[in-house]
Amino acid sequence: MRDLAPRGVVIENAYVVPVVGEEIPSGHVVVEDGLITSVGPGPAPVVPEGAERVDASGCLATPGLVNTHHHLYQWASQGVTPDGTLFEWLVASYRLWARMDAEVVSGAATAGLAWLALSGCTTSTDHHYVFPKGRGDLFEAEIEAARRVGLRFHPCRGSMDRGASQGGLPPDEVVEDVDEILRATDDAIRKYHDPSFGSMLRVAVAPCSPFSVSGELMTRSAELARSHGVRLHTHVAETADEDEHCREQFGVLPVEYLDRLGWLGPDVWLAHCVHLTDKDVRRFGETGTGTAHCPSSNGRLGAGIARISDLLAAGAPVGLGVDGAASSEMTPLAGEIRMAVLMQRARYGPRALTARQALEMATLGGARCLGREAEIGSLEPGKLADVALWRLGGFHAAIDDPVVAFAYGPTPPLARLLVGGRTVVDGGELRTVPGEEAARAGAAAHRRLTTMDHV
Ligand SMILES: [Zn+2]
């Protein structure tokens, strides 16, 4: 088998889309010691000693994709309430999630991350907020899975503190008390968070959603995150029902409530943001608050279509996310590019979003949401060598513009995926964890969660 991490990789003859700067119809990308050292037209000016040379004729080279929102554990509960509302789906799902343990999380995360890698993702977040008592170290289980699959990982230590007995949605056995949550989150940051350049793992702080947890948890989570210099994440403005809930409980709409709690800012990115007022859009731009746009999940749950073109016009960072597999059934990350274009145009007309804007959201936009735009999200010398090579021969070859073929057509085969210069996918196959093994782990996690015998 080929060396997964040679000292260098030289990609030549590719259509290179650096995302920042001009597109290069036939160019090179040189990778050395995990960094991009040269991007430009024609053959590589210098070939590092011992480097592997890749003839990428017929391929599109893009930055590796960045997934800004996910719930990996949901791989194990796919197909639940396929036709329900968000609230019906959540209530049915919580019954299953209450039985989750570290083994379920390990299998689900392995399958979910392997699937992301196969759709061109090099950096993924995960929002894990269900921690049933006495079920092992769930956070560690997903971190271990990310190490094995080989992706850059931003696990968000999620939380819920309002169970059914306090008027919340989830059953009491999956919620924790505020002190317990903050202690566990503080421990996770100290143990795993690596702020260094090129980091493979950064932790964020992420209560489930402002209307499902206490104001105290939101405020203290923000204080904790800022004391460590880590980022904040949560769900907001996903469905219209949420507006009513927030009005009833807090007397204001969801984003205004977050603003009051100090939860808008350049260190915050928020999932969904479907139902925003004009003022909300302006505040996102002014404060640099990021949005994780999950168009397939929003469609699947009938949540609505987010105001992405308005957010971009306001200068707010916007990335793409697949959301949990239970609300988007194995959506590949590259497929969200197409979905984002189609949904914006369906709502706002043909000029709402271009293929290139959507590709930028999936790369540099995601990097901005995670505060990593100096390291990833574009192909530029000095950045980390996170690169996707897409094979555009075959059926895609009848479309002249490679970016249009990539964004509007079906996701093309992935010829190569490099994470920090290391090969994770080659010729459409995972080279870290075998694909069949990852798929089996996901199916076993589903069986374990949906059968009662381990409870
Ligand atoms: Zn979500």
Side-chain angles (χ1 to χ4, degrees):
M1 187 190 269
R2 176 184 284 144
D3 181 5
L4 294 187
R7 249 202 81 219
V9 179
V10 174
I11 296 164
E12 289 171 308
N13 307 317
Y15 188 102
V16 182
V17 181
V19 172
V20 169
E22 295 291 309
E23 291 175 15
I24 306 158
S26 178
H28 67 266
V29 179
V30 178
V31 169
E32 207 173 343
D33 293 329
L35 296 177
I36 296 169
T37 54
S38 175
V39 179
V46 182
V47 176
E49 207 184 313
E52 181 199 344
R53 288 185 92 147
V54 178
D55 178 2
S57 303
C59 288
L60 171 72
T62 68
L65 308 186
V66 178
N67 179 37
T68 56
H69 188 63
H70 208 336
H71 310 287
L72 287 164
Y73 70 87
Q74 290 182 9
W75 191 276
S77 67
Q78 292 183 72
V80 172
T81 328
D83 302 315
T85 65
L86 173 65
F87 281 79
E88 289 163 357
W89 172 86
L90 273 173
V91 169
S93 297
Y94 276 131
R95 278 199 290 270
L96 285 175
W97 298 341
R99 290 149 47 174
M100 180 168 34
D101 62 8
E103 197 175 322
V104 168
V105 171
S106 172
T110 301
L113 289 163
W115 187 245
L116 280 171
L118 289 168
S119 70
C121 174
T122 48
T123 299
S124 184
T125 61
D126 185 56
H127 186 187
H128 192 103
Y129 54 86
V130 185
F131 291 92
K133 289 172 187 60
R135 302 267 166 173
D137 192 336
L138 274 49
F139 204 63
E140 184 179 55
E142 63 168 349
I143 285 171
E144 194 42 48
R147 283 198 183 121
R148 288 186 64 222
V149 176
L151 296 194
R152 238 176 262 292
F153 195 40
H154 284 229
C156 307
R157 207 305 179 171
S159 51
M160 296 187 292
D161 68 339
R162 283 180 54 212
S165 64
Q166 292 171 42
L169 210 54
D172 285 349
E173 61 264 38
V174 300
V175 306
E176 305 165 283
D177 77 46
V178 179
D179 289 330
E180 203 180 332
I181 289 166
L182 293 166
R183 202 168 35 248
T185 308
D186 186 59
D187 286 350
I189 296 167
R190 287 176 196 281
K191 190 166 177 191
Y192 299 112
H193 181 70
D194 171 9
S196 68
F197 183 89
S199 169
M200 290 298 286
L201 199 138
R202 292 203 186 149
V203 175
V205 180
C208 182
S209 68
F211 69 94
S212 69
V213 308
S214 68
E216 185 194 354
L217 177 58
M218 292 298 292
T219 311
R220 290 179 63 192
S221 292
E223 285 166 9
L224 177 70
R226 286 173 177 146
S227 75
H228 282 288
V230 305
R231 298 178 89 74
L232 284 165
H233 182 53
T234 191
H235 295 100
V236 79
E238 182 172 0
T239 64
D241 303 6
E242 194 178 320
D243 283 1
E244 281 166 45
H245 269 264
C246 282
R247 266 215 184 89
E248 266 169 37
Q249 286 186 61
F250 315 119
V252 286
L253 291 171
V255 172
E256 204 174 331
Y257 179 57
L258 278 185
D259 207 354
R260 277 190 194 173
L261 293 169
W263 260 78
L264 298 186
D267 57 348
V268 182
W269 89 103
L270 303 166
H272 303 306
C273 310
V274 174
H275 300 277
L276 300 185
T277 64
D278 290 346
K279 186 181 165 205
D280 296 341
V281 170
R282 222 173 33 246
R283 289 292 291 149
F284 274 54
E286 285 164 4
T287 57
T289 305
T291 293
H293 176 42
C294 307
S296 291
S297 169
N298 296 156
R300 153 72 155 89
L301 292 169
I305 299 173
R307 298 175 60 177
I308 296 309
S309 34
D310 293 338
L311 285 166
L312 292 174
V318 180
L320 291 181
V322 297
D323 205 358
S327 67
S328 60
E329 276 82 12
M330 295 177 66
T331 306
L333 182 54
E336 293 296 300
I337 294 172
R338 178 173 193 263
M339 194 58 85
V341 172
L342 299 187
M343 283 177 70
Q344 284 305 289
R345 291 183 177 187
R347 178 165 173 182
Y348 297 108
R351 296 196 193 285
L353 197 72
T354 67
R356 286 170 170 82
Q357 281 178 305
L359 175 61
E360 182 172 341
M361 276 165 35
T363 52
L364 195 59
R368 286 179 71 199
C369 286
L370 303 184
R372 301 198 72 168
E373 63 271 37
E375 298 169 87
I376 57 173
S378 60
L379 302 178
E380 296 178 89
K383 279 198 166 182
L384 303 173
D386 292 4
V387 185
L389 266 187
W390 309 89
R391 199 168 292 292
L392 287 180
F395 291 105
H396 289 81
I399 303 172
D400 288 334
D401 182 335
V403 179
V404 168
F406 172 66
Y408 296 179
T411 300
L414 189 60
R416 185 67 80 96
L417 189 73
L418 301 178
V419 180
R422 179 177 183 231
T423 295
V424 172
V425 176
D426 187 9
E429 299 282 340
L430 271 168
R431 294 295 180 219
T432 47
V433 176
E436 307 81 57
E437 184 187 320
R440 268 200 307 275
H446 175 74
R447 275 196 306 279
R448 184 170 171 82
L449 189 69
T450 52
T451 51
M452 295 293 289
D453 50 10
H454 69 286
V455 178

PDB file of all heavy atoms in Angstrom, residues 11 15 119 141 150-151 155 221 251 309 351 395 430 452:
ATOM      1  N   ILE A  11       0.682  17.757  -6.860  1.00  0.00           N
ATOM      2  CA  ILE A  11      -0.503  17.560  -7.716  1.00  0.00           C
ATOM      3  C   ILE A  11      -0.307  18.435  -8.954  1.00  0.00           C
ATOM      4  O   ILE A  11      -0.044  19.640  -8.824  1.00  0.00           O
ATOM      5  CB  ILE A  11      -1.777  17.981  -6.953  1.00  0.00           C
ATOM      6  CG1 ILE A  11      -1.987  17.078  -5.731  1.00  0.00           C
ATOM      7  CG2 ILE A  11      -2.988  17.960  -7.881  1.00  0.00           C
ATOM      8  CD1 ILE A  11      -2.980  17.630  -4.717  1.00  0.00           C
ATOM      9  N   TYR A  15      -7.526  21.328 -12.567  1.00  0.00           N
ATOM     10  CA  TYR A  15      -8.216  22.620 -12.588  1.00  0.00           C
ATOM     11  C   TYR A  15      -8.259  23.057 -11.126  1.00  0.00           C
ATOM     12  O   TYR A  15      -8.956  22.447 -10.307  1.00  0.00           O
ATOM     13  CB  TYR A  15      -9.627  22.480 -13.171  1.00  0.00           C
ATOM     14  CG  TYR A  15     -10.297  23.828 -13.396  1.00  0.00           C
ATOM     15  CD1 TYR A  15     -10.360  24.387 -14.681  1.00  0.00           C
ATOM     16  CD2 TYR A  15     -10.834  24.564 -12.338  1.00  0.00           C
ATOM     17  CE1 TYR A  15     -10.949  25.625 -14.892  1.00  0.00           C
ATOM     18  CE2 TYR A  15     -11.421  25.810 -12.544  1.00  0.00           C
ATOM     19  CZ  TYR A  15     -11.483  26.333 -13.819  1.00  0.00           C
ATOM     20  OH  TYR A  15     -12.061  27.571 -14.029  1.00  0.00           O
ATOM     21  N   SER A 119     -17.025  12.294   1.249  1.00  0.00           N
ATOM     22  CA  SER A 119     -17.648  13.387   0.494  1.00  0.00           C
ATOM     23  C   SER A 119     -16.795  14.652   0.559  1.00  0.00           C
ATOM     24  O   SER A 119     -17.307  15.759   0.424  1.00  0.00           O
ATOM     25  CB  SER A 119     -19.094  13.632   0.936  1.00  0.00           C
ATOM     26  OG  SER A 119     -19.170  14.193   2.215  1.00  0.00           O
ATOM     27  N   ALA A 141     -15.156   8.871  23.172  1.00  0.00           N
ATOM     28  CA  ALA A 141     -15.429   7.874  22.129  1.00  0.00           C
ATOM     29  C   ALA A 141     -15.443   8.517  20.743  1.00  0.00           C
ATOM     30  O   ALA A 141     -14.915   7.962  19.772  1.00  0.00           O
ATOM     31  CB  ALA A 141     -16.764   7.175  22.406  1.00  0.00           C
ATOM     32  N   GLY A 150      -9.087  10.167  10.762  1.00  0.00           N
ATOM     33  CA  GLY A 150      -8.035  11.079  10.311  1.00  0.00           C
ATOM     34  C   GLY A 150      -8.504  12.464   9.911  1.00  0.00           C
ATOM     35  O   GLY A 150      -7.801  13.157   9.167  1.00  0.00           O
ATOM     36  N   LEU A 151      -9.676  12.880  10.400  1.00  0.00           N
ATOM     37  CA  LEU A 151     -10.146  14.235  10.091  1.00  0.00           C
ATOM     38  C   LEU A 151      -9.759  15.218  11.191  1.00  0.00           C
ATOM     39  O   LEU A 151      -9.589  14.844  12.342  1.00  0.00           O
ATOM     40  CB  LEU A 151     -11.683  14.250   9.949  1.00  0.00           C
ATOM     41  CG  LEU A 151     -12.278  13.446   8.806  1.00  0.00           C
ATOM     42  CD1 LEU A 151     -13.739  13.826   8.598  1.00  0.00           C
ATOM     43  CD2 LEU A 151     -11.505  13.663   7.517  1.00  0.00           C
ATOM     44  N   PRO A 155     -15.027  18.889  18.205  1.00  0.00           N
ATOM     45  CA  PRO A 155     -16.185  18.422  18.979  1.00  0.00           C
ATOM     46  C   PRO A 155     -16.685  19.536  19.898  1.00  0.00           C
ATOM     47  O   PRO A 155     -15.894  20.230  20.530  1.00  0.00           O
ATOM     48  CB  PRO A 155     -15.600  17.260  19.789  1.00  0.00           C
ATOM     49  CG  PRO A 155     -14.145  17.575  19.940  1.00  0.00           C
ATOM     50  CD  PRO A 155     -13.759  18.310  18.673  1.00  0.00           C
ATOM     51  N   SER A 221     -21.936  29.163  30.372  1.00  0.00           N
ATOM     52  CA  SER A 221     -21.202  28.505  29.269  1.00  0.00           C
ATOM     53  C   SER A 221     -20.367  29.528  28.507  1.00  0.00           C
ATOM     54  O   SER A 221     -19.208  29.275  28.152  1.00  0.00           O
ATOM     55  CB  SER A 221     -22.175  27.832  28.297  1.00  0.00           C
ATOM     56  OG  SER A 221     -22.811  26.742  28.913  1.00  0.00           O
ATOM     57  N   GLY A 251     -40.218  36.689  26.207  1.00  0.00           N
ATOM     58  CA  GLY A 251     -40.777  37.966  25.752  1.00  0.00           C
ATOM     59  C   GLY A 251     -40.077  38.548  24.530  1.00  0.00           C
ATOM     60  O   GLY A 251     -40.387  39.661  24.114  1.00  0.00           O
ATOM     61  N   SER A 309     -28.398  34.470   1.380  1.00  0.00           N
ATOM     62  CA  SER A 309     -27.857  35.553   0.546  1.00  0.00           C
ATOM     63  C   SER A 309     -27.857  36.869   1.314  1.00  0.00           C
ATOM     64  O   SER A 309     -26.937  37.679   1.161  1.00  0.00           O
ATOM     65  CB  SER A 309     -28.599  35.656  -0.788  1.00  0.00           C
ATOM     66  OG  SER A 309     -29.941  35.339  -0.629  1.00  0.00           O
ATOM     67  N   ARG A 351     -30.626  34.816  -9.106  1.00  0.00           N
ATOM     68  CA  ARG A 351     -29.342  35.449  -8.789  1.00  0.00           C
ATOM     69  C   ARG A 351     -28.996  35.370  -7.300  1.00  0.00           C
ATOM     70  O   ARG A 351     -28.066  36.018  -6.821  1.00  0.00           O
ATOM     71  CB  ARG A 351     -29.360  36.913  -9.211  1.00  0.00           C
ATOM     72  CG  ARG A 351     -29.490  37.075 -10.700  1.00  0.00           C
ATOM     73  CD  ARG A 351     -29.130  38.481 -11.161  1.00  0.00           C
ATOM     74  NE  ARG A 351     -29.547  38.695 -12.535  1.00  0.00           N
ATOM     75  CZ  ARG A 351     -28.937  38.193 -13.594  1.00  0.00           C
ATOM     76  NH1 ARG A 351     -27.853  37.456 -13.453  1.00  0.00           N
ATOM     77  NH2 ARG A 351     -29.389  38.431 -14.806  1.00  0.00           N
ATOM     78  N   PHE A 395     -19.150  11.251 -16.733  1.00  0.00           N
ATOM     79  CA  PHE A 395     -20.393  11.944 -17.060  1.00  0.00           C
ATOM     80  C   PHE A 395     -20.320  13.459 -16.839  1.00  0.00           C
ATOM     81  O   PHE A 395     -21.011  14.214 -17.505  1.00  0.00           O
ATOM     82  CB  PHE A 395     -21.557  11.346 -16.264  1.00  0.00           C
ATOM     83  CG  PHE A 395     -21.904   9.964 -16.710  1.00  0.00           C
ATOM     84  CD1 PHE A 395     -21.551   8.853 -15.957  1.00  0.00           C
ATOM     85  CD2 PHE A 395     -22.576   9.767 -17.917  1.00  0.00           C
ATOM     86  CE1 PHE A 395     -21.864   7.574 -16.379  1.00  0.00           C
ATOM     87  CE2 PHE A 395     -22.900   8.490 -18.355  1.00  0.00           C
ATOM     88  CZ  PHE A 395     -22.537   7.384 -17.584  1.00  0.00           C
ATOM     89  N   LEU A 430     -11.445   4.882   1.407  1.00  0.00           N
ATOM     90  CA  LEU A 430     -10.779   5.336   2.626  1.00  0.00           C
ATOM     91  C   LEU A 430      -9.498   4.550   2.829  1.00  0.00           C
ATOM     92  O   LEU A 430      -9.472   3.332   2.643  1.00  0.00           O
ATOM     93  CB  LEU A 430     -11.687   5.073   3.829  1.00  0.00           C
ATOM     94  CG  LEU A 430     -12.678   6.160   4.201  1.00  0.00           C
ATOM     95  CD1 LEU A 430     -13.661   5.589   5.201  1.00  0.00           C
ATOM     96  CD2 LEU A 430     -11.973   7.369   4.777  1.00  0.00           C
ATOM     97  N   MET A 452     -33.324  -3.469  22.872  1.00  0.00           N
ATOM     98  CA  MET A 452     -33.360  -3.175  24.303  1.00  0.00           C
ATOM     99  C   MET A 452     -32.336  -3.942  25.123  1.00  0.00           C
ATOM    100  O   MET A 452     -32.128  -3.653  26.289  1.00  0.00           O
ATOM    101  CB  MET A 452     -34.749  -3.521  24.864  1.00  0.00           C
ATOM    102  CG  MET A 452     -35.888  -2.697  24.325  1.00  0.00           C
ATOM    103  SD  MET A 452     -35.763  -0.980  24.863  1.00  0.00           S
ATOM    104  CE  MET A 452     -36.165  -1.167  26.616  1.00  0.00           C
TER     105      MET A 452
END
